Amino acid sequence: MNGRKAGALALTIVAWALRLCGIALAVIVVALSFSGVASRLGLVNLVIDISRAIPSVIAGYGLIATPMGGVFRLDFALMAVLFFLLDYLCQRVARSLRR
């Protein structure tokens, strides 16, 4: 296996990890939009840990109350979009390395 194919494989694995993180954050954003779902599912500690891991520039930004009684976390949604964007870029670079 040459270096280009190994790099493409590594980027593909990183892309999959980024995609899974983006999907997980998107699911958490939807779950937090409903009243009491976080406490019923035991997501409170996870949400706190994610809030601490997010860069302080956007942490806590865009907390919007929803009609369903929950809260829309714009900071989590922005991180999910960033993960999906990085996933796309890794896939594109990996595809170009395979050629």
Side-chain angles (χ1 to χ4, degrees):
M1 178 179 276
N2 61 19
R4 291 174 61 95
K5 287 186 179 182
L9 179 64
L11 278 173
T12 302
I13 293 170
V14 168
W16 272 98
L18 288 168
R19 186 175 306 155
L20 290 176
C21 289
I23 290 170
L25 271 177
V27 168
I28 289 172
V29 167
V30 171
L32 290 175
S33 295
F34 297 97
S35 176
V37 172
S39 61
R40 282 188 214 127
L41 295 177
L43 295 176
V44 176
N45 290 332
L46 178 65
V47 169
I48 292 171
D49 291 339
I50 293 171
S51 295
R52 289 182 183 153
I54 289 178
S56 63
V57 175
I58 64 168
Y61 178 73
L63 299 176
I64 303 166
T66 62
M68 287 81 66
V71 64
F72 177 76
R73 298 282 312 240
L74 185 63
D75 53 352
F76 285 12
L78 289 174
M79 289 302 296
V81 169
L82 178 68
F83 283 145
F84 287 129
L85 179 66
L86 290 174
D87 163 43
Y88 174 75
L89 292 175
C90 285
Q91 285 292 335
R92 294 284 298 202
V93 172
R95 194 173 302 132
S96 70
L97 285 176
R98 284 190 188 106
R99 293 183 195 174

